[in-house]
Amino acid sequence: MEIEKIRKTIDKDTDEAVEDILTEVEERYGEIPYIVNFMKDMPELFIPRMIYENSVMREFRRMDPKTVELICIAVSSALRCEYCLKTHVRVAKRLGVSKEEIFDSILIASTISNAAVLAEGTRSLDSEFSEDESEKQNSRDGTCTICNIASELPEEE
């Protein structure tokens, strides 16, 4: 969101600012997403959140709206947020994104999610079954033998 637009929004009467934001959201999405509707009665949280969200998701010029929605779809898929996913699929469809493009973003998300599971799982497995006693001791001390970062987890007994 441009600074001047943010100032104008903040300077408005609270109810008017909320209504203006809701109107903008509905124009952009074609609907009012659940979270937005839920938070509208908490203007002290709603207004700053929406200003931030608009600044990140809609107002910068480095990505076009279709790309932003494809990223939202991928992240929603990876996080398994059914409601966000359905909302962003609808928005992408309204923007003219094809079913195939949407599916490609879901495939990419599934590949990265799969890699994350494998990376975490194999690191734990490798750490536990390491033949090097110093690596085992580091692991027991809470230090990752691969990235050398200390863990915050309690020690095993």
Side-chain angles (χ1 to χ4, degrees):
M1 212 174 217
E2 296 173 11
I3 295 295
E4 282 308 310
K5 191 171 183 182
I6 292 170
R7 282 191 186 114
K8 287 178 184 176
T9 299
I10 292 172
D11 288 342
K12 289 181 181 179
D13 172 67
T14 302
D15 291 337
E16 185 182 356
V18 169
E19 284 305 313
D20 285 354
I21 292 170
L22 289 172
T23 300
E24 279 187 36
V25 168
E26 189 163 22
E27 286 172 3
R28 183 174 40 252
Y29 284 108
E31 62 187 86
I32 304 287
Y34 171 80
I35 295 169
V36 173
N37 194 49
F38 184 89
M39 290 182 68
K40 71 180 181 193
D41 295 327
M42 298 174 255
E44 69 283 357
L45 299 172
F46 175 77
I47 293 170
R49 180 186 185 278
M50 295 307 297
I51 288 171
Y52 174 76
E53 183 178 299
N54 281 331
S55 296
V56 172
M57 303 263 300
R58 306 287 170 224
E59 296 297 330
F60 61 85
R61 307 288 184 240
R62 294 180 294 273
M63 284 188 238
D64 63 278
K66 289 180 181 183
T67 302
V68 171
E69 287 308 318
L70 288 170
I71 292 169
C72 291
I73 289 166
V75 172
S76 298
S77 295
L79 294 176
R80 297 184 179 137
C81 182
E82 174 186 358
Y83 307 105
C84 292
L85 179 58
K86 287 180 178 181
T87 297
H88 289 289
V89 167
R90 284 192 304 269
V91 173
K93 187 177 173 184
R94 285 186 200 112
L95 290 171
V97 179
S98 72
K99 184 178 181 178
E100 294 77 16
E101 289 172 304
I102 292 170
F103 183 63
D104 287 349
S105 74
I106 293 168
L107 281 175
I108 292 167
S110 72
T111 301
I112 298 299
S113 294
N114 182 301
V117 169
L118 287 170
E120 183 69 25
T122 55
R123 280 186 171 100
S124 293
L125 184 63
D126 195 34
S127 174
E128 190 60 37
F129 284 90
S130 173
E131 292 182 18
D132 182 344
E133 278 304 313
S134 66
E135 286 184 11
K136 278 187 174 181
Q137 185 58 45
N138 281 346
S139 179
R140 287 188 194 106
D141 292 343
T143 302
C144 175
T145 60
I146 295 166
C147 63
N148 206 25
I149 296 176
S151 171
E152 299 287 328
L153 297 175
E155 291 184 29
E156 290 184 30
E157 294 181 23

